[in-house]
Amino acid sequence: MTITRWIGAVAAIFVLLLMGVQRPVEAKEYVTHFTHANGTSIAYQDIGDPGDPAVVLIMGLGAQLITWPDMFIDELTHAGFRVIRFDNRDVGLSQKLYELGEPSFLWAAIKDRLGLPLGADYTLDDMAEDTVGLMDVLEIESAHVVGSSMGGMIAQLVVGHHPERSRSLVSIMSSSGAEDLPEPGGAVMEVIMQPRPKERDAAIERAFDVFATINNGGVSDPDALRAFVTLAYDRCYYPPGVSRQMMAIWAGGSRVEVLKTIRLPTLVIHGTDDPLVPVQHGKDTAARIPGARLQVIEGMAHGLPAFSREIVSTLVQSVVEYLTSVEASIR
């Protein structure tokens, strides 16, 4: 990974740390449970009929389980699916590795230039094993695996390494990690790389501004966006964990060889207007998975909170219809 790509990855931290969904001020609440999976304490929610086919939702870098839209949950359960969403390690209410401290990106960059191992505290493969471990605890034999951004990367690894535990893969606004793919736009990076305020209100306002930037200046529902970033900040704000997750992405490198082995039904979704992970990443991911279906959504960017309701609805409908068709073929 080049230094330029590293800078782009650092930029992504600050976006995905706060990436949220279009939520009403009074969002639905579900019971949050806690368990140990793969040696890690994981916070999760189990929604729907336990007898229905399971869908495991994996969120992106620094993003908490509340980032999945209520519309996602409602439509999936209405279609006859059991939904599992959880906080990845080091974010939300799941286990924090406080004792490890915050990694040094400068030192990691030096090691990368010298061809030395980065020394990440864990990898995306470890996070994929967290997912499978949670399925073990919940006695889920196999599940549809749906991931967004970094969550898409983890989902790719779950399906690639554990096809017997997977029913299908849905990779949303994610990447194969292949070299020479386009990097984030300069304007987006300029805004994202600005210092993060420590004071609560200033940090919330900055998050709002970042969302507007990664959605090309547009925010469809300012009140809902501000309510969400406030909720996310108050639920958990832990930047060191996000930094360690970014190191896991960096250390993991390309998933191209894993993608070539996937033989399960796969849907790749990406937006035409994604300035953080350009649409070429989605096209590349789909091209590397045999038989994968690619859906490019016109006007979709990378920050769900600023999406119009129409785009959110299109995204949710695409996922629900695809999983329903896959499930019908399995039965």
Side-chain angles (χ1 to χ4, degrees), residues 50-305:
D52 287 340
V55 178
V56 175
L57 302 178
I58 311 175
M59 243 308 141
L61 183 65
Q64 304 175 54
L65 64 82
I66 57 172
T67 304
W68 288 104
D70 288 339
M71 188 187 298
F72 244 106
I73 309 304
D74 292 343
E75 293 300 318
L76 282 168
T77 54
H78 181 72
F81 292 98
R82 171 189 183 185
V83 178
I84 310 298
R85 61 177 180 175
F86 64 100
D87 289 326
N88 285 310
R89 61 166 70 188
D90 254 340
V91 299
L93 304 183
S94 287
Q95 183 173 334
K96 313 296 190 306
L97 305 181
Y98 298 106
E99 70 280 5
L100 299 178
E102 189 157 4
S104 169
F105 292 110
L106 177 58
W107 178 229
I110 293 171
K111 290 194 287 187
D112 185 55
R113 288 297 293 268
L114 295 174
L116 300 174
L118 299 183
D121 295 309
Y122 51 82
T123 66
L124 291 183
D125 288 289
D126 294 319
M127 299 176 79
E129 294 306 313
D130 292 348
T131 305
V132 177
L134 179 58
M135 291 172 59
D136 289 341
V137 170
L138 298 178
E139 298 183 344
I140 296 173
E141 184 176 340
S142 65
H144 300 279
V145 187
V146 180
S148 175
S149 201
M150 181 192 76
M153 302 174 193
I154 296 170
Q156 293 164 18
L157 293 170
V158 170
V159 175
H161 293 323
H162 299 279
E164 76 286 354
R165 305 299 301 276
S166 310
R167 299 171 85 82
S168 71
L169 166 65
V170 179
S171 179
I172 304 170
M173 50 188 165
S174 193
S175 176
S176 67
E179 290 292 332
D180 301 322
L181 288 170
E183 297 178 2
V188 173
M189 289 179 59
E190 182 179 350
V191 172
I192 295 171
M193 291 297 289
Q194 294 175 1
R196 289 174 294 168
K198 294 183 179 180
E199 196 272 328
R200 177 179 179 273
D201 290 345
I204 289 171
E205 282 305 309
R206 182 183 179 281
F208 186 96
D209 293 340
V210 167
F211 277 121
T213 301
I214 64 172
N215 285 277
N216 302 314
V219 176
S220 66
D221 188 338
D223 290 338
L225 173 58
R226 187 165 279 107
F228 177 79
V229 296
T230 301
L231 175 65
Y233 184 96
D234 290 341
R235 186 173 186 265
C236 178
Y237 184 69
Y238 184 58
V242 186
S243 298
R244 287 193 289 270
Q245 287 187 355
M246 196 280 283
M247 287 289 291
I249 296 173
W250 189 359
S254 169
R255 287 166 301 287
V256 167
E257 294 305 314
V258 174
L259 297 183
K260 291 179 182 178
T261 69
I262 294 176
R263 295 294 184 273
L264 290 170
T266 298
L267 173 64
V268 177
I269 302 177
H270 222 102
T272 58
D273 296 356
D274 192 331
L276 183 65
V277 183
V279 66
Q280 289 87 343
H281 288 249
K283 293 179 178 179
D284 180 77
T285 300
R288 296 182 186 278
I289 301 175
R293 179 188 301 180
L294 171 67
Q295 179 175 3
V296 176
I297 298 179
E298 188 69 33
M300 190 174 97
H302 201 87
L304 287 170

Side-chain angles (χ1 to χ4, degrees), residues 302-325:
H302 201 87
L304 287 170
F307 288 178
S308 68
R309 184 171 180 82
E310 290 73 23
I311 289 179
V312 175
S313 179
T314 298
L315 175 61
V316 174
Q317 183 179 6
S318 298
V319 173
V320 172
E321 289 182 354
Y322 187 74
L323 297 187
T324 300
S325 67

